[in-house]
């Protein structure tokens, strides 16, 4: 045991007996007379920074009572849509003690994922043992890659590479250090068991923006967040950012006006029923009223972050690194629609795909194709016809919608109706046609 603590209160649990001791946990309060806990906290932070974290903070592992209330209230108001995640059991996701019995502290880290805008190269190359697709049978690896004339779907920045994996590896190093001193430590990253943003805010990493994202002072919001939950009673960090959006965002409302679907219904409050980031993950039909707003997105939505002036200033101050080899920023929509189930799961299995069913990637691709495709392109028309006539009624309806949408765009264009406009007006075409269409969640 490397730490030697002075003790104020008497309890039943102590570093020397914390492995596997059952029964009620009563804490002794360490006074850290020799400073070993301060040193451990400082070491944990330094390890995190050396491992590539942009910021590391320490917070108490007390229950997040306010966040618990917010989760319950949003559930009551239906703002969570059909989401589970932290909403499934708010009493659990707001109590770090449910992750680790006797939890005392959270060491919270932020991993930056802003990268230089890439050309969307789809060549897959193995990267430091992460889950980037390496299988040469992947449709991405034999795709010709996006070309100016081929319709392209876009992937949100956080999902272009396994940034959660990078974050986890950095937090693992901190956890190893804590364990080496005899403490217990569990890493949680984007897990249903913990509200990551509330933890980061408590650890002083930043403030809640009006888009609900946590912004790091001077750095912005392009960061994923995770924690090490430990029974080490570390000294909490001093908050480094303004606690409220009112202070951090001032009078700015750009994210609210930039949101293509009006999903930011109040400062810091997202209505998931309207949020594209959720709709691309949710099962069922894409609500018709949001299909056009989806644009070329096939996974995630970055609009409320791209619009943020704090991110823009940070981008100018800190040059973003080049994208990782194998990062997937864009996808050829026709290749995606031609790929097999296995190929799609191989290439995108890291993403949250409803029921792990690749048909939802195809659904998203069909909507994107309806927004950015060209009916005069025979390959596009053939793909839409194939899916419109297929057995999967959900996909057939989305393909008919896409055909109709492109038909309308074609007719509206100065060149008038192209050769592809006709088939778009087939049975069932038209916004809202087809089973499941128009269903809102
Ligand atoms: C559910 C979820 C979603 C849902 C709902 C998001 C939402 N805003 O509620 C959907 C699928 C829509 C989503 C989308 C995205 N997500 Co998400 N998501 C989560 C998840 C799993 C849980 C979040 C949660 O518990 N929300 C519940 C509410 C109650 O908590 P909250 O949103 O933090 O709300 C706080 C504020 O509202 C604040 N608050 C309360 N009152 C007030 C008042 C004012 C004025 C203000 C300003 C704030 C404020 O207090 C609340 C409680 O702490 C977390 C991972 C995790 N385990 O925590 C990732 C997480 C929040 N998501 C993340 C990311 C990256 C995204 C996307 C950017 C991905 C993308 N590009 O598509 C988008 C961003 C959309 C957006 N504007 O939020 C990151 C955010 C990192 C960051 N810097 O903030 C997280 C933390 C994942 C991670 N581990 O890094 N996400
Ligand atoms: S992620 Fe997109 S849809 Fe969701 S709140 Fe932000 S801008 Fe709106
Ligand atoms: S766009 Fe403006 S209001 Fe929204 S998070 Fe950024 S600074 Fe805050």
């Amino acid at each position: 045991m490397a730490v030697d603590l002075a003790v104020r209160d008497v309890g039943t649990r102590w570093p020397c007996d914390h492995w596997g001791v059952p029964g009620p946990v009563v804490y002794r309060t360490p006074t850290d007379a020799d400073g070993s806990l301060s040193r451990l906290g400082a070491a944990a932070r330094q390890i995190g920074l050396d491992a590539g974290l942009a910021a590391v903070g320490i917070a108490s592992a007390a229950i997040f009572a306010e966040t618990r209330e917010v989760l319950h209230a949003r559930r009551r108001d239906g703002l969570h849509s059909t989401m589970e995640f932290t909403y499934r059991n708010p009493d659990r996701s707001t109590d770090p003690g449910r992750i680790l019995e006797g939890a005392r502290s959270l060491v919270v880290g932020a991993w930056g994922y802003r990268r230089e805008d890439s050309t969307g190269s789809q060549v897959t190359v193995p990267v430091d043992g992460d889950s980037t697709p390496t299988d040469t049978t992947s449709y991405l690896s034999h795709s010709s890659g996006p070309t100016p004339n081929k319709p392209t779907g876009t992937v949100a920045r956080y999902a272009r590479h396994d940034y959660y994996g990078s974050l986890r590896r950095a937090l693992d190093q901190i956890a190893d250090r804590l364990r080496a001193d005899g403490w217990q430590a569990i890493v949680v990253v984007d897990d249903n068991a913990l509200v990551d943003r509330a933890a980061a805010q408590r650890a002083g990493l930043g403030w809640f923006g009006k888009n609900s994202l946590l912004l790091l002072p001077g750095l912005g919001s392009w960061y994923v967040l995770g924690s090490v939950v430990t029974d080490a009673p570390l000294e909490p960090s001093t908050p480094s950012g303004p606690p409220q959006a009112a202070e951090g965002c001032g009078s700015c409302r750009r994210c609210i006006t930039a949101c293509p679907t009006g999903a930011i219904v109040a400062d810091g409050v997202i209505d998931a029923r309207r949020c594209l980031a959720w709709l691309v993950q949710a099962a069922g039909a894409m609500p018709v009223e949001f299909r056009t707003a989806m644009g070329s997105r096939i996974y995630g939505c970055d609009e409320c972050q791209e619009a943020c002036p704090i991110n823009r200033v940070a981008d100018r101050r800190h040059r973003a690194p080049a994208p990782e080899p194998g990062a997937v920023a864009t996808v050829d929509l026709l290749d995606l629609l031609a790929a097999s189930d296995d190929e799609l799961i191989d290439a995108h299995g890291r993403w949250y795909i409803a029921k792990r069913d690749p048909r939802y990637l195809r659904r998203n691709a069909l909507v994107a194709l309806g927004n950015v495709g060209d009916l005069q392109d025979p390959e596009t028309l053939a793909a839409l016809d194939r899916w419109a006539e297929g057995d999967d009624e959900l996909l057939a309806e989305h393909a008919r919608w896409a055909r109709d949408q492109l038909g309308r765009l074609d007719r509206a264009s100065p060149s008038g109706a192209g050769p592809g406009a006709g088939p778009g007006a087939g049975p069932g075409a038209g916004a809202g046609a087809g089973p499941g269409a128009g269903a809102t969640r």
Side-chain angles (χ1 to χ4, degrees):
M1 178 64 49
V3 282
D4 177 21
L5 306 175
V7 176
R8 253 194 267 126
D9 309 323
V10 177
T12 58
R13 190 162 178 161
W14 193 234
C16 55
D17 69 8
H18 66 250
W19 294 106
V21 177
V25 180
V26 181
Y27 302 107
R28 302 177 188 200
T29 305
T31 57
D32 196 19
D34 68 351
S36 53
L37 276 173
S38 310
R39 286 196 296 280
L40 183 59
R45 278 204 208 96
Q46 195 55 50
I47 287 167
L49 294 173
D50 291 347
L53 295 172
V56 188
I58 298 174
S60 121
I63 287 171
F64 292 92
E66 222 175 293
T67 308
R68 184 177 285 185
E69 284 315 304
V70 175
L71 283 166
H72 282 300
R74 290 192 190 170
R75 253 179 25 163
R76 269 194 307 274
D77 296 343
L79 297 180
H80 71 312
S81 181
T82 51
M83 285 191 305
E84 297 273 5
F85 307 124
T86 47
Y87 286 90
R88 184 189 301 167
N89 185 347
D91 294 343
R92 172 176 169 242
S93 59
T94 52
D95 182 2
R98 303 277 282 268
I99 299 169
L100 173 66
E101 199 194 354
R104 299 293 298 274
S105 313
L106 305 172
V107 185
V108 189
W111 185 275
Y113 62 84
R114 178 76 169 87
R115 297 291 177 269
E116 252 175 12
D117 283 321
S118 72
T119 53
S121 160
Q122 296 175 10
V123 181
T124 51
V125 175
V127 185
D128 60 332
D130 66 15
S131 63
T132 303
T134 54
D135 186 340
T136 48
T137 62
S138 160
Y139 85 95
L140 290 175
S141 61
H142 57 66
S143 160
S144 50
T147 62
N149 298 324
K150 292 190 88 185
T152 301
T154 44
V155 176
R157 292 183 186 280
Y158 82 117
R160 295 177 182 179
H161 173 73
D162 185 13
Y163 296 109
Y164 288 128
S166 309
L167 169 61
R168 176 176 287 282
R169 284 190 286 279
L171 293 173
D172 276 340
Q173 293 190 34
I174 296 176
D176 286 345
R177 174 69 175 81
L178 294 166
R179 289 188 201 111
D181 272 16
W183 303 100
Q184 297 185 78
I186 295 178
V187 173
V188 279
V189 169
D190 199 41
D191 194 293
N192 297 345
L194 186 67
V195 282
D196 293 328
R197 280 201 274 239
Q201 198 250 351
R202 187 187 277 175
L205 259 53
W207 80 92
F208 288 115
K210 290 178 190 171
N211 57 10
S212 96
L213 284 140
L214 190 101
L215 284 93
L216 280 60
L219 295 176
S221 63
W222 300 113
Y223 296 85
V224 284
L225 308 168
S227 297
V228 182
V229 186
T230 178
D231 56 356
L234 302 171
E235 179 79 14
S237 3
T238 316
S240 57
Q244 290 300 327
E247 292 171 57
C249 297
S251 58
C252 175
R253 290 173 46 84
R254 287 196 202 173
C255 51
I256 296 173
T257 47
C259 173
T261 58
I264 308 176
V265 292
D267 293 0
V269 182
I270 306 295
D271 184 344
R273 292 168 297 194
R274 310 181 68 86
C275 178
L276 297 174
W278 169 242
L279 293 173
V280 295
Q281 296 182 1
M286 178 66 60
V288 173
E289 63 270 35
F290 300 127
R291 289 185 190 176
T292 310
M294 245 184 80
S296 63
R297 295 172 189 83
I298 58 156
Y299 194 77
C301 171
D302 283 336
E303 212 60 38
C304 55
Q305 297 192 85
E306 297 285 2
C308 179
I310 292 173
N311 280 342
R312 292 190 176 180
V313 170
D315 287 352
R316 279 200 296 273
R317 282 204 189 126
H318 312 276
R319 200 198 150 126
E324 292 76 5
V328 177
T330 57
V331 164
D332 183 312
L333 292 171
L334 297 177
D335 286 348
L336 190 157
L337 287 167
S340 69
D341 284 5
D342 286 347
E343 286 179 314
L344 290 178
I345 291 296
D346 239 22
H348 305 301
R350 183 166 45 75
W351 296 350
Y352 180 90
I353 302 168
K355 302 173 185 182
R356 303 283 302 158
D357 188 342
R359 78 202 281 241
Y360 292 113
L361 290 174
R362 298 191 181 105
R363 172 201 62 185
N364 296 350
L366 287 168
V367 175
L369 193 54
N371 290 323
V372 301
D374 176 2
L375 264 196
Q376 308 212 31
D377 167 36
E379 276 188 73
T380 298
L381 184 57
L384 291 179
D385 283 347
R386 182 164 83 86
W387 286 102
E389 283 144 29
D391 296 337
D392 184 330
E393 189 42 46
L394 178 108
L395 296 181
E397 183 275 317
H398 284 76
R400 292 195 295 269
W401 175 88
R403 242 174 18 189
D404 187 59
Q405 172 85 347
L406 292 178
R408 261 185 281 126
L409 292 177
D410 224 12
R411 284 191 292 277
S413 79
S415 57
T440 19
R441 287 172 295 269

